[in-house]
Every structure is written in structure tokens, then in C-alpha cells.
Amino acid sequence: NAGVTQTPKFQVLKTGQSMTLQCAQDMNHEYMSWYRQDPGMGLRLIHYSVGAGITDQGEVPNGYNVSRSTTEDFPLRLLSAAPSQTSVYFCASSQSSGANVLTFGAGSRLTVL
Amino acid sequence: AQKVTQAQTEISVVEKEDVTLDCVYETRDTTYYLFWYKQPPSGELVFLIRRNSFDEQNEISGRYSWNFQKSTSSFNFTITASQVVDSAVYFCALSVNAGGTSYGKLTFGQGTILTVHP
């Protein structure tokens, strides 16, 4: 069982470039989410999804797009990267029942120059 | 809105010392869950414990113990006889259970960096 798989692990972009962070889970979890981690700020929710075709904004959604065409995949798109998006990004998934304990991916470190 | 505060930014201890990591939360919801996650130097996030708002029993797991007090909105984490391998960033988090689910949405504290010296 791979759990939650994120790619790439590291990425350097120039301001204005676009890219997609990939996230896939093999646990048949309904809920998936993206968080960013910045020093001194903990993890903050960017977008989340409660099932295929259903997404919603979290605390810091500006500059990011998501879609959920399948249960397994939840990509995060940066359409025009900005230095403020330099961060470590974590994808997570959880079951729809109970306390929704999140299983996290290994993280993707993004640097925007 | 929910809020989680971990006032201790960094803690440094010597091996075998006991250490307590503080967590204070704010929510107007009566049904919620509290979590602790560990982030070792390798960077992954490891789930440690979950507590629901109706269960104020303290919990002990080996050298780890958790003290949940609704009266003070606190969910503190104590490591007894700390070891070098406990060095990590520790996050406290909160989810509210709206309609029976939190939709996988957590509110995290800022994190506490724990360094255990040999």
C-alpha cells in the first residue's frame, strides 16, 4: 500500500510559470486536501475535496486551482507562480466517516524565484 | 472560526528530561476532535493521537501522554524521559464535526520545534 503519493518532491519555478503538483491515494478515501507549510505558521488548508467532482476552498486558496475527476487523484495547479507560493505542500486524504484522521503525503518543496 | 495556539516556538531539553508541549484551542462548536502530529527531520507528518470533545480522559502511550482539559481549552502533550529520536516539530490540530464529519479539514497550530540533546 503506497498511501498518499505526491510528485514532484522538489521543484524550482520562475515567477509566472505554471505547474501542477500531483497527488494520488490508493486507500479509497473520499476526502482529499492540500495544505501548505510555512515557518511559524503551521499548516494551512488551500483546497479540499469531499468526493469526485466536488471541491471547495480552504483558508488560503488564492493562486491555486484544483479538480477531482477521480477518487484517487487530486492535483494542485499553480497557474502563475509567485514568490509568495514558495512553501512545502502536503496532500492528505481521509475516510468520510468518523474523526477523519488525515494520512499525509511526503510533501513537495516548491521554490519560486 | 477555529484557532489553535502553540505558544512554545522552540524547546530544547537534554535526554531523559520530561517535556510538555502546550496546545490551546478555540472553537464555538461543541463537537470537535483534537490531534497531535509529529514531523521528524525527514519531513513527513506522523499521526500520534486523536481525541474527541466528549472524552476528557487522559491518555498514555508508552512515554507519551496527553492531558485534555475542556475547562481551559487545552490539549497538552508530555514526553517522559525524552530521547534524541523525539527531536521533531510537533503540531496540534483541531477539526470540527459539522453534521457528523469534518470533511478532512484541520486547523493547525504553529508547531513546536523540540530538540533533545544527548
Side-chain angles (χ1 to χ4, degrees), chain A residues 31 33 35 37 40-43 45 48 50 90 94 96 98-102 104, chain B residues 33 35 37 39 43 45 47 50 91 97 101-106 108-110:
Chain A
Y31 297 163
S33 49
Y35 291 82
Q37 180 180 5
M41 304 193 75
L43 281 81
L45 181 64
Y48 67 101
V50 299
F90 286 94
S94 66
S96 59
N100 311 139
V101 174
L102 299 188
F104 285 90
Chain B
Y33 288 90
F35 302 81
Y37 280 86
Q39 186 178 44
L45 287 155
F47 166 74
R50 173 196 69 211
F91 291 100
N97 224 29
T101 180
S102 70
Y103 302 107
K105 298 162 59 181
L106 263 61
F108 283 83
Q110 302 92 322

PDB file of all heavy atoms in Angstrom, chain A residues 31 33 35 37 40-43 45 48 50 90 94 96 98-102 104, chain B residues 33 35 37 39 43 45 47 50 91 97 101-106 108-110:
ATOM      1  N   TYR A  31     -12.230  11.854   1.103  1.00  0.00           N
ATOM      2  CA  TYR A  31     -11.781  13.221   1.333  1.00  0.00           C
ATOM      3  C   TYR A  31     -10.309  13.364   0.969  1.00  0.00           C
ATOM      4  O   TYR A  31      -9.482  12.522   1.341  1.00  0.00           O
ATOM      5  CB  TYR A  31     -11.961  13.627   2.793  1.00  0.00           C
ATOM      6  CG  TYR A  31     -13.380  13.639   3.289  1.00  0.00           C
ATOM      7  CD1 TYR A  31     -13.645  13.639   4.649  1.00  0.00           C
ATOM      8  CD2 TYR A  31     -14.461  13.651   2.423  1.00  0.00           C
ATOM      9  CE1 TYR A  31     -14.940  13.657   5.132  1.00  0.00           C
ATOM     10  CE2 TYR A  31     -15.766  13.663   2.893  1.00  0.00           C
ATOM     11  CZ  TYR A  31     -16.001  13.661   4.243  1.00  0.00           C
ATOM     12  OH  TYR A  31     -17.282  13.681   4.712  1.00  0.00           O
ATOM     13  N   SER A  33      -7.211  16.689   0.470  1.00  0.00           N
ATOM     14  CA  SER A  33      -6.969  18.103   0.757  1.00  0.00           C
ATOM     15  C   SER A  33      -5.523  18.459   0.469  1.00  0.00           C
ATOM     16  O   SER A  33      -4.657  17.581   0.400  1.00  0.00           O
ATOM     17  CB  SER A  33      -7.318  18.427   2.221  1.00  0.00           C
ATOM     18  OG  SER A  33      -6.736  17.491   3.109  1.00  0.00           O
ATOM     19  N   TYR A  35      -2.510  21.209   1.810  1.00  0.00           N
ATOM     20  CA  TYR A  35      -2.053  22.156   2.814  1.00  0.00           C
ATOM     21  C   TYR A  35      -0.697  22.711   2.378  1.00  0.00           C
ATOM     22  O   TYR A  35       0.070  22.037   1.695  1.00  0.00           O
ATOM     23  CB  TYR A  35      -1.881  21.477   4.178  1.00  0.00           C
ATOM     24  CG  TYR A  35      -3.165  21.042   4.830  1.00  0.00           C
ATOM     25  CD1 TYR A  35      -3.786  19.840   4.479  1.00  0.00           C
ATOM     26  CD2 TYR A  35      -3.761  21.811   5.827  1.00  0.00           C
ATOM     27  CE1 TYR A  35      -4.968  19.444   5.077  1.00  0.00           C
ATOM     28  CE2 TYR A  35      -4.938  21.408   6.437  1.00  0.00           C
ATOM     29  CZ  TYR A  35      -5.528  20.236   6.046  1.00  0.00           C
ATOM     30  OH  TYR A  35      -6.703  19.840   6.646  1.00  0.00           O
ATOM     31  N   GLN A  37       2.808  24.460   4.166  1.00  0.00           N
ATOM     32  CA  GLN A  37       3.501  24.646   5.444  1.00  0.00           C
ATOM     33  C   GLN A  37       4.538  25.737   5.303  1.00  0.00           C
ATOM     34  O   GLN A  37       5.447  25.645   4.459  1.00  0.00           O
ATOM     35  CB  GLN A  37       4.194  23.354   5.902  1.00  0.00           C
ATOM     36  CG  GLN A  37       4.912  23.518   7.231  1.00  0.00           C
ATOM     37  CD  GLN A  37       5.601  22.242   7.674  1.00  0.00           C
ATOM     38  OE1 GLN A  37       5.628  21.250   6.970  1.00  0.00           O
ATOM     39  NE2 GLN A  37       6.164  22.261   8.870  1.00  0.00           N
ATOM     40  N   GLY A  40       6.674  29.024  11.119  1.00  0.00           N
ATOM     41  CA  GLY A  40       5.946  29.811  12.100  1.00  0.00           C
ATOM     42  C   GLY A  40       4.456  29.901  11.885  1.00  0.00           C
ATOM     43  O   GLY A  40       3.757  30.568  12.646  1.00  0.00           O
ATOM     44  N   MET A  41       3.951  29.232  10.832  1.00  0.00           N
ATOM     45  CA  MET A  41       2.519  29.334  10.530  1.00  0.00           C
ATOM     46  C   MET A  41       1.823  27.989  10.519  1.00  0.00           C
ATOM     47  O   MET A  41       0.636  27.901  10.216  1.00  0.00           O
ATOM     48  CB  MET A  41       2.323  30.040   9.189  1.00  0.00           C
ATOM     49  CG  MET A  41       2.981  31.408   9.144  1.00  0.00           C
ATOM     50  SD  MET A  41       2.476  32.383   7.750  1.00  0.00           S
ATOM     51  CE  MET A  41       0.852  32.862   8.262  1.00  0.00           C
ATOM     52  N   GLY A  42       2.524  26.952  10.820  1.00  0.00           N
ATOM     53  CA  GLY A  42       1.904  25.635  10.791  1.00  0.00           C
ATOM     54  C   GLY A  42       1.498  25.241   9.388  1.00  0.00           C
ATOM     55  O   GLY A  42       2.104  25.667   8.397  1.00  0.00           O
ATOM     56  N   LEU A  43       0.456  24.446   9.285  1.00  0.00           N
ATOM     57  CA  LEU A  43      -0.086  24.046   8.003  1.00  0.00           C
ATOM     58  C   LEU A  43      -1.415  24.756   7.792  1.00  0.00           C
ATOM     59  O   LEU A  43      -2.235  24.830   8.714  1.00  0.00           O
ATOM     60  CB  LEU A  43      -0.313  22.524   7.943  1.00  0.00           C
ATOM     61  CG  LEU A  43       0.915  21.661   7.689  1.00  0.00           C
ATOM     62  CD1 LEU A  43       1.704  21.445   8.976  1.00  0.00           C
ATOM     63  CD2 LEU A  43       0.501  20.310   7.114  1.00  0.00           C
ATOM     64  N   LEU A  45      -4.835  25.155   5.173  1.00  0.00           N
ATOM     65  CA  LEU A  45      -5.614  24.463   4.160  1.00  0.00           C
ATOM     66  C   LEU A  45      -5.791  25.335   2.911  1.00  0.00           C
ATOM     67  O   LEU A  45      -6.231  26.478   3.005  1.00  0.00           O
ATOM     68  CB  LEU A  45      -6.980  24.088   4.731  1.00  0.00           C
ATOM     69  CG  LEU A  45      -7.938  23.334   3.821  1.00  0.00           C
ATOM     70  CD1 LEU A  45      -7.379  21.959   3.459  1.00  0.00           C
ATOM     71  CD2 LEU A  45      -9.297  23.183   4.507  1.00  0.00           C
ATOM     72  N   TYR A  48      -9.895  21.648  -0.620  1.00  0.00           N
ATOM     73  CA  TYR A  48     -10.220  20.297  -0.229  1.00  0.00           C
ATOM     74  C   TYR A  48     -11.323  19.752  -1.126  1.00  0.00           C
ATOM     75  O   TYR A  48     -12.000  20.502  -1.841  1.00  0.00           O
ATOM     76  CB  TYR A  48     -10.619  20.221   1.248  1.00  0.00           C
ATOM     77  CG  TYR A  48     -11.921  20.909   1.594  1.00  0.00           C
ATOM     78  CD1 TYR A  48     -13.100  20.177   1.766  1.00  0.00           C
ATOM     79  CD2 TYR A  48     -11.969  22.288   1.787  1.00  0.00           C
ATOM     80  CE1 TYR A  48     -14.279  20.813   2.098  1.00  0.00           C
ATOM     81  CE2 TYR A  48     -13.146  22.924   2.121  1.00  0.00           C
ATOM     82  CZ  TYR A  48     -14.305  22.193   2.279  1.00  0.00           C
ATOM     83  OH  TYR A  48     -15.485  22.815   2.598  1.00  0.00           O
ATOM     84  N   VAL A  50     -14.479  16.585  -1.171  1.00  0.00           N
ATOM     85  CA  VAL A  50     -15.213  15.565  -0.423  1.00  0.00           C
ATOM     86  C   VAL A  50     -15.631  14.403  -1.313  1.00  0.00           C
ATOM     87  O   VAL A  50     -16.315  13.484  -0.852  1.00  0.00           O
ATOM     88  CB  VAL A  50     -16.439  16.175   0.293  1.00  0.00           C
ATOM     89  CG1 VAL A  50     -15.979  17.230   1.294  1.00  0.00           C
ATOM     90  CG2 VAL A  50     -17.429  16.752  -0.699  1.00  0.00           C
ATOM     91  N   PHE A  90       1.646  19.793   1.224  1.00  0.00           N
ATOM     92  CA  PHE A  90       1.259  18.448   1.629  1.00  0.00           C
ATOM     93  C   PHE A  90      -0.139  18.138   1.128  1.00  0.00           C
ATOM     94  O   PHE A  90      -1.068  18.934   1.288  1.00  0.00           O
ATOM     95  CB  PHE A  90       1.265  18.319   3.156  1.00  0.00           C
ATOM     96  CG  PHE A  90       2.632  18.264   3.756  1.00  0.00           C
ATOM     97  CD1 PHE A  90       3.246  19.417   4.218  1.00  0.00           C
ATOM     98  CD2 PHE A  90       3.312  17.053   3.851  1.00  0.00           C
ATOM     99  CE1 PHE A  90       4.511  19.370   4.779  1.00  0.00           C
ATOM    100  CE2 PHE A  90       4.577  16.997   4.406  1.00  0.00           C
ATOM    101  CZ  PHE A  90       5.184  18.157   4.858  1.00  0.00           C
ATOM    102  N   SER A  94      -8.475  11.236   3.738  1.00  0.00           N
ATOM    103  CA  SER A  94      -9.088  10.619   4.911  1.00  0.00           C
ATOM    104  C   SER A  94     -10.402   9.978   4.512  1.00  0.00           C
ATOM    105  O   SER A  94     -10.989  10.305   3.475  1.00  0.00           O
ATOM    106  CB  SER A  94      -9.309  11.648   6.024  1.00  0.00           C
ATOM    107  OG  SER A  94     -10.254  12.612   5.634  1.00  0.00           O
ATOM    108  N   SER A  96     -14.427   9.239   4.968  1.00  0.00           N
ATOM    109  CA  SER A  96     -15.518  10.186   5.156  1.00  0.00           C
ATOM    110  C   SER A  96     -16.224  10.003   6.485  1.00  0.00           C
ATOM    111  O   SER A  96     -17.012  10.836   6.884  1.00  0.00           O
ATOM    112  CB  SER A  96     -16.538  10.035   4.024  1.00  0.00           C
ATOM    113  OG  SER A  96     -17.052   8.722   3.993  1.00  0.00           O
ATOM    114  N   GLY A  98     -16.403   9.156  10.749  1.00  0.00           N
ATOM    115  CA  GLY A  98     -15.631   9.283  11.974  1.00  0.00           C
ATOM    116  C   GLY A  98     -14.815  10.557  12.054  1.00  0.00           C
ATOM    117  O   GLY A  98     -15.185  11.589  11.524  1.00  0.00           O
ATOM    118  N   ALA A  99     -13.695  10.466  12.716  1.00  0.00           N
ATOM    119  CA  ALA A  99     -12.905  11.656  13.026  1.00  0.00           C
ATOM    120  C   ALA A  99     -12.008  12.094  11.896  1.00  0.00           C
ATOM    121  O   ALA A  99     -11.294  13.074  12.051  1.00  0.00           O
ATOM    122  CB  ALA A  99     -12.059  11.399  14.262  1.00  0.00           C
ATOM    123  N   ASN A 100     -12.045  11.390  10.775  1.00  0.00           N
ATOM    124  CA  ASN A 100     -11.291  11.815   9.601  1.00  0.00           C
ATOM    125  C   ASN A 100      -9.815  12.025   9.906  1.00  0.00           C
ATOM    126  O   ASN A 100      -9.269  13.114   9.699  1.00  0.00           O
ATOM    127  CB  ASN A 100     -11.866  13.119   9.014  1.00  0.00           C
ATOM    128  CG  ASN A 100     -13.363  13.072   8.819  1.00  0.00           C
ATOM    129  OD1 ASN A 100     -14.055  14.046   9.084  1.00  0.00           O
ATOM    130  ND2 ASN A 100     -13.868  11.941   8.363  1.00  0.00           N
ATOM    131  N   VAL A 101      -9.147  11.010  10.400  1.00  0.00           N
ATOM    132  CA  VAL A 101      -7.704  11.118  10.614  1.00  0.00           C
ATOM    133  C   VAL A 101      -7.031  11.239   9.250  1.00  0.00           C
ATOM    134  O   VAL A 101      -7.232  10.413   8.363  1.00  0.00           O
ATOM    135  CB  VAL A 101      -7.165   9.887  11.362  1.00  0.00           C
ATOM    136  CG1 VAL A 101      -5.643   9.952  11.450  1.00  0.00           C
ATOM    137  CG2 VAL A 101      -7.778   9.809  12.749  1.00  0.00           C
ATOM    138  N   LEU A 102      -6.236  12.265   9.081  1.00  0.00           N
ATOM    139  CA  LEU A 102      -5.588  12.505   7.798  1.00  0.00           C
ATOM    140  C   LEU A 102      -4.350  11.649   7.637  1.00  0.00           C
ATOM    141  O   LEU A 102      -3.554  11.510   8.569  1.00  0.00           O
ATOM    142  CB  LEU A 102      -5.190  13.969   7.664  1.00  0.00           C
ATOM    143  CG  LEU A 102      -6.297  15.015   7.712  1.00  0.00           C
ATOM    144  CD1 LEU A 102      -5.738  16.386   7.380  1.00  0.00           C
ATOM    145  CD2 LEU A 102      -7.411  14.655   6.757  1.00  0.00           C
ATOM    146  N   PHE A 104      -1.046  11.818   5.348  1.00  0.00           N
ATOM    147  CA  PHE A 104      -0.358  12.806   4.537  1.00  0.00           C
ATOM    148  C   PHE A 104       0.618  12.163   3.557  1.00  0.00           C
ATOM    149  O   PHE A 104       1.197  11.106   3.829  1.00  0.00           O
ATOM    150  CB  PHE A 104       0.432  13.770   5.431  1.00  0.00           C
ATOM    151  CG  PHE A 104      -0.420  14.773   6.149  1.00  0.00           C
ATOM    152  CD1 PHE A 104      -0.936  14.486   7.397  1.00  0.00           C
ATOM    153  CD2 PHE A 104      -0.713  15.997   5.569  1.00  0.00           C
ATOM    154  CE1 PHE A 104      -1.735  15.414   8.072  1.00  0.00           C
ATOM    155  CE2 PHE A 104      -1.498  16.926   6.230  1.00  0.00           C
ATOM    156  CZ  PHE A 104      -2.009  16.627   7.474  1.00  0.00           C
TER     157      PHE A 104
ATOM    158  N   TYR B  33     -12.642  17.409  17.250  1.00  0.00           N
ATOM    159  CA  TYR B  33     -11.558  16.468  17.506  1.00  0.00           C
ATOM    160  C   TYR B  33     -10.249  17.248  17.621  1.00  0.00           C
ATOM    161  O   TYR B  33     -10.048  18.253  16.939  1.00  0.00           O
ATOM    162  CB  TYR B  33     -11.434  15.451  16.374  1.00  0.00           C
ATOM    163  CG  TYR B  33     -12.544  14.439  16.344  1.00  0.00           C
ATOM    164  CD1 TYR B  33     -13.706  14.678  15.613  1.00  0.00           C
ATOM    165  CD2 TYR B  33     -12.445  13.248  17.051  1.00  0.00           C
ATOM    166  CE1 TYR B  33     -14.729  13.755  15.589  1.00  0.00           C
ATOM    167  CE2 TYR B  33     -13.466  12.315  17.032  1.00  0.00           C
ATOM    168  CZ  TYR B  33     -14.614  12.577  16.299  1.00  0.00           C
ATOM    169  OH  TYR B  33     -15.628  11.660  16.274  1.00  0.00           O
ATOM    170  N   PHE B  35      -5.957  16.727  17.653  1.00  0.00           N
ATOM    171  CA  PHE B  35      -4.932  15.832  17.144  1.00  0.00           C
ATOM    172  C   PHE B  35      -3.543  16.346  17.528  1.00  0.00           C
ATOM    173  O   PHE B  35      -3.337  17.549  17.735  1.00  0.00           O
ATOM    174  CB  PHE B  35      -4.970  15.778  15.601  1.00  0.00           C
ATOM    175  CG  PHE B  35      -6.283  15.342  15.008  1.00  0.00           C
ATOM    176  CD1 PHE B  35      -7.332  16.227  14.874  1.00  0.00           C
ATOM    177  CD2 PHE B  35      -6.445  14.048  14.559  1.00  0.00           C
ATOM    178  CE1 PHE B  35      -8.539  15.842  14.314  1.00  0.00           C
ATOM    179  CE2 PHE B  35      -7.649  13.646  13.987  1.00  0.00           C
ATOM    180  CZ  PHE B  35      -8.691  14.547  13.868  1.00  0.00           C
ATOM    181  N   TYR B  37       0.314  15.727  15.696  1.00  0.00           N
ATOM    182  CA  TYR B  37       1.122  15.139  14.644  1.00  0.00           C
ATOM    183  C   TYR B  37       2.588  15.441  14.926  1.00  0.00           C
ATOM    184  O   TYR B  37       2.918  16.492  15.451  1.00  0.00           O
ATOM    185  CB  TYR B  37       0.760  15.723  13.267  1.00  0.00           C
ATOM    186  CG  TYR B  37      -0.469  15.124  12.633  1.00  0.00           C
ATOM    187  CD1 TYR B  37      -1.733  15.612  12.928  1.00  0.00           C
ATOM    188  CD2 TYR B  37      -0.366  14.068  11.727  1.00  0.00           C
ATOM    189  CE1 TYR B  37      -2.865  15.071  12.336  1.00  0.00           C
ATOM    190  CE2 TYR B  37      -1.498  13.516  11.136  1.00  0.00           C
ATOM    191  CZ  TYR B  37      -2.736  14.028  11.444  1.00  0.00           C
ATOM    192  OH  TYR B  37      -3.870  13.484  10.862  1.00  0.00           O
ATOM    193  N   GLN B  39       6.433  15.751  13.127  1.00  0.00           N
ATOM    194  CA  GLN B  39       7.146  15.908  11.868  1.00  0.00           C
ATOM    195  C   GLN B  39       8.641  15.772  12.148  1.00  0.00           C
ATOM    196  O   GLN B  39       9.303  16.728  12.537  1.00  0.00           O
ATOM    197  CB  GLN B  39       6.838  17.247  11.212  1.00  0.00           C
ATOM    198  CG  GLN B  39       7.448  17.391   9.818  1.00  0.00           C
ATOM    199  CD  GLN B  39       7.088  18.698   9.149  1.00  0.00           C
ATOM    200  OE1 GLN B  39       7.126  19.766   9.760  1.00  0.00           O
ATOM    201  NE2 GLN B  39       6.707  18.634   7.863  1.00  0.00           N
ATOM    202  N   GLY B  43      10.723  15.045   7.405  1.00  0.00           N
ATOM    203  CA  GLY B  43       9.692  15.880   6.817  1.00  0.00           C
ATOM    204  C   GLY B  43       8.287  15.324   6.738  1.00  0.00           C
ATOM    205  O   GLY B  43       7.343  16.083   6.505  1.00  0.00           O
ATOM    206  N   LEU B  45       4.659  13.772   7.971  1.00  0.00           N
ATOM    207  CA  LEU B  45       3.773  14.061   9.101  1.00  0.00           C
ATOM    208  C   LEU B  45       3.223  12.747   9.630  1.00  0.00           C
ATOM    209  O   LEU B  45       2.577  11.989   8.909  1.00  0.00           O
ATOM    210  CB  LEU B  45       2.638  14.981   8.670  1.00  0.00           C
ATOM    211  CG  LEU B  45       3.075  16.418   8.434  1.00  0.00           C
ATOM    212  CD1 LEU B  45       2.146  17.127   7.472  1.00  0.00           C
ATOM    213  CD2 LEU B  45       3.140  17.169   9.763  1.00  0.00           C
ATOM    214  N   PHE B  47       0.865  10.823  12.403  1.00  0.00           N
ATOM    215  CA  PHE B  47      -0.256  10.945  13.325  1.00  0.00           C
ATOM    216  C   PHE B  47       0.110  10.311  14.663  1.00  0.00           C
ATOM    217  O   PHE B  47       0.616   9.186  14.720  1.00  0.00           O
ATOM    218  CB  PHE B  47      -1.480  10.255  12.712  1.00  0.00           C
ATOM    219  CG  PHE B  47      -2.607  10.015  13.662  1.00  0.00           C
ATOM    220  CD1 PHE B  47      -3.409  11.057  14.080  1.00  0.00           C
ATOM    221  CD2 PHE B  47      -2.873   8.744  14.142  1.00  0.00           C
ATOM    222  CE1 PHE B  47      -4.469  10.832  14.956  1.00  0.00           C
ATOM    223  CE2 PHE B  47      -3.931   8.505  15.011  1.00  0.00           C
ATOM    224  CZ  PHE B  47      -4.724   9.552  15.425  1.00  0.00           C
ATOM    225  N   ARG B  50      -5.643  11.173  18.466  1.00  0.00           N
ATOM    226  CA  ARG B  50      -6.885  11.885  18.219  1.00  0.00           C
ATOM    227  C   ARG B  50      -7.737  11.803  19.477  1.00  0.00           C
ATOM    228  O   ARG B  50      -7.803  10.766  20.132  1.00  0.00           O
ATOM    229  CB  ARG B  50      -7.636  11.229  17.058  1.00  0.00           C
ATOM    230  CG  ARG B  50      -9.016  11.768  16.796  1.00  0.00           C
ATOM    231  CD  ARG B  50      -9.804  10.820  15.920  1.00  0.00           C
ATOM    232  NE  ARG B  50     -10.123   9.593  16.609  1.00  0.00           N
ATOM    233  CZ  ARG B  50     -10.252   8.419  16.001  1.00  0.00           C
ATOM    234  NH1 ARG B  50     -10.080   8.326  14.702  1.00  0.00           N
ATOM    235  NH2 ARG B  50     -10.564   7.354  16.681  1.00  0.00           N
ATOM    236  N   PHE B  91       2.911  19.241  15.951  1.00  0.00           N
ATOM    237  CA  PHE B  91       1.765  20.078  15.629  1.00  0.00           C
ATOM    238  C   PHE B  91       0.531  19.592  16.372  1.00  0.00           C
ATOM    239  O   PHE B  91       0.226  18.394  16.378  1.00  0.00           O
ATOM    240  CB  PHE B  91       1.458  20.044  14.127  1.00  0.00           C
ATOM    241  CG  PHE B  91       2.481  20.712  13.272  1.00  0.00           C
ATOM    242  CD1 PHE B  91       3.446  19.967  12.602  1.00  0.00           C
ATOM    243  CD2 PHE B  91       2.478  22.089  13.117  1.00  0.00           C
ATOM    244  CE1 PHE B  91       4.394  20.581  11.805  1.00  0.00           C
ATOM    245  CE2 PHE B  91       3.421  22.715  12.313  1.00  0.00           C
ATOM    246  CZ  PHE B  91       4.382  21.961  11.669  1.00  0.00           C
ATOM    247  N   ASN B  97     -16.770  18.953  13.845  1.00  0.00           N
ATOM    248  CA  ASN B  97     -17.580  17.914  13.239  1.00  0.00           C
ATOM    249  C   ASN B  97     -18.952  18.462  12.886  1.00  0.00           C
ATOM    250  O   ASN B  97     -19.894  18.335  13.649  1.00  0.00           O
ATOM    251  CB  ASN B  97     -17.715  16.748  14.220  1.00  0.00           C
ATOM    252  CG  ASN B  97     -17.534  15.429  13.541  1.00  0.00           C
ATOM    253  OD1 ASN B  97     -16.825  15.338  12.563  1.00  0.00           O
ATOM    254  ND2 ASN B  97     -18.147  14.387  14.066  1.00  0.00           N
ATOM    255  N   THR B 101     -19.234  15.056  10.208  1.00  0.00           N
ATOM    256  CA  THR B 101     -17.941  14.890   9.564  1.00  0.00           C
ATOM    257  C   THR B 101     -17.191  16.208   9.567  1.00  0.00           C
ATOM    258  O   THR B 101     -17.799  17.283   9.622  1.00  0.00           O
ATOM    259  CB  THR B 101     -18.095  14.389   8.114  1.00  0.00           C
ATOM    260  OG1 THR B 101     -16.784  14.249   7.545  1.00  0.00           O
ATOM    261  CG2 THR B 101     -18.890  15.382   7.272  1.00  0.00           C
ATOM    262  N   SER B 102     -15.887  16.127   9.522  1.00  0.00           N
ATOM    263  CA  SER B 102     -15.068  17.347   9.448  1.00  0.00           C
ATOM    264  C   SER B 102     -14.630  17.616   8.022  1.00  0.00           C
ATOM    265  O   SER B 102     -13.929  18.586   7.775  1.00  0.00           O
ATOM    266  CB  SER B 102     -13.841  17.196  10.339  1.00  0.00           C
ATOM    267  OG  SER B 102     -12.963  16.235   9.775  1.00  0.00           O
ATOM    268  N   TYR B 103     -15.009  16.748   7.081  1.00  0.00           N
ATOM    269  CA  TYR B 103     -14.594  16.864   5.682  1.00  0.00           C
ATOM    270  C   TYR B 103     -13.075  16.836   5.532  1.00  0.00           C
ATOM    271  O   TYR B 103     -12.540  17.285   4.537  1.00  0.00           O
ATOM    272  CB  TYR B 103     -15.173  18.127   5.031  1.00  0.00           C
ATOM    273  CG  TYR B 103     -16.671  18.170   5.089  1.00  0.00           C
ATOM    274  CD1 TYR B 103     -17.326  19.030   5.948  1.00  0.00           C
ATOM    275  CD2 TYR B 103     -17.439  17.316   4.300  1.00  0.00           C
ATOM    276  CE1 TYR B 103     -18.719  19.048   6.022  1.00  0.00           C
ATOM    277  CE2 TYR B 103     -18.819  17.328   4.370  1.00  0.00           C
ATOM    278  CZ  TYR B 103     -19.450  18.203   5.228  1.00  0.00           C
ATOM    279  OH  TYR B 103     -20.816  18.212   5.305  1.00  0.00           O
ATOM    280  N   GLY B 104     -12.383  16.328   6.538  1.00  0.00           N
ATOM    281  CA  GLY B 104     -10.927  16.249   6.445  1.00  0.00           C
ATOM    282  C   GLY B 104     -10.233  17.585   6.601  1.00  0.00           C
ATOM    283  O   GLY B 104      -9.080  17.730   6.208  1.00  0.00           O
ATOM    284  N   LYS B 105     -10.928  18.558   7.180  1.00  0.00           N
ATOM    285  CA  LYS B 105     -10.342  19.882   7.324  1.00  0.00           C
ATOM    286  C   LYS B 105      -9.798  20.073   8.723  1.00  0.00           C
ATOM    287  O   LYS B 105     -10.533  19.983   9.697  1.00  0.00           O
ATOM    288  CB  LYS B 105     -11.411  20.950   7.050  1.00  0.00           C
ATOM    289  CG  LYS B 105     -11.975  20.922   5.647  1.00  0.00           C
ATOM    290  CD  LYS B 105     -13.290  21.655   5.532  1.00  0.00           C
ATOM    291  CE  LYS B 105     -13.185  23.094   5.927  1.00  0.00           C
ATOM    292  NZ  LYS B 105     -14.498  23.779   5.816  1.00  0.00           N
ATOM    293  N   LEU B 106      -8.512  20.341   8.805  1.00  0.00           N
ATOM    294  CA  LEU B 106      -7.870  20.573  10.097  1.00  0.00           C
ATOM    295  C   LEU B 106      -7.354  22.004  10.197  1.00  0.00           C
ATOM    296  O   LEU B 106      -6.877  22.560   9.213  1.00  0.00           O
ATOM    297  CB  LEU B 106      -6.693  19.613  10.296  1.00  0.00           C
ATOM    298  CG  LEU B 106      -6.962  18.337  11.103  1.00  0.00           C
ATOM    299  CD1 LEU B 106      -8.013  17.491  10.437  1.00  0.00           C
ATOM    300  CD2 LEU B 106      -5.686  17.567  11.326  1.00  0.00           C
ATOM    301  N   PHE B 108      -4.393  23.855  12.115  1.00  0.00           N
ATOM    302  CA  PHE B 108      -3.158  23.511  12.804  1.00  0.00           C
ATOM    303  C   PHE B 108      -2.640  24.674  13.641  1.00  0.00           C
ATOM    304  O   PHE B 108      -2.836  25.848  13.297  1.00  0.00           O
ATOM    305  CB  PHE B 108      -2.066  23.136  11.792  1.00  0.00           C
ATOM    306  CG  PHE B 108      -2.216  21.765  11.217  1.00  0.00           C
ATOM    307  CD1 PHE B 108      -3.062  21.541  10.139  1.00  0.00           C
ATOM    308  CD2 PHE B 108      -1.505  20.697  11.734  1.00  0.00           C
ATOM    309  CE1 PHE B 108      -3.206  20.277   9.594  1.00  0.00           C
ATOM    310  CE2 PHE B 108      -1.640  19.422  11.206  1.00  0.00           C
ATOM    311  CZ  PHE B 108      -2.493  19.216  10.134  1.00  0.00           C
ATOM    312  N   GLY B 109      -1.943  24.328  14.709  1.00  0.00           N
ATOM    313  CA  GLY B 109      -1.151  25.315  15.420  1.00  0.00           C
ATOM    314  C   GLY B 109       0.143  25.590  14.663  1.00  0.00           C
ATOM    315  O   GLY B 109       0.428  24.970  13.632  1.00  0.00           O
ATOM    316  N   GLN B 110       0.918  26.515  15.204  1.00  0.00           N
ATOM    317  CA  GLN B 110       2.127  26.957  14.526  1.00  0.00           C
ATOM    318  C   GLN B 110       3.254  25.922  14.592  1.00  0.00           C
ATOM    319  O   GLN B 110       4.221  26.004  13.855  1.00  0.00           O
ATOM    320  CB  GLN B 110       2.621  28.274  15.126  1.00  0.00           C
ATOM    321  CG  GLN B 110       1.588  29.394  15.061  1.00  0.00           C
ATOM    322  CD  GLN B 110       0.715  29.460  16.321  1.00  0.00           C
ATOM    323  OE1 GLN B 110       0.345  28.426  16.893  1.00  0.00           O
ATOM    324  NE2 GLN B 110       0.386  30.661  16.735  1.00  0.00           N
TER     325      GLN B 110
END
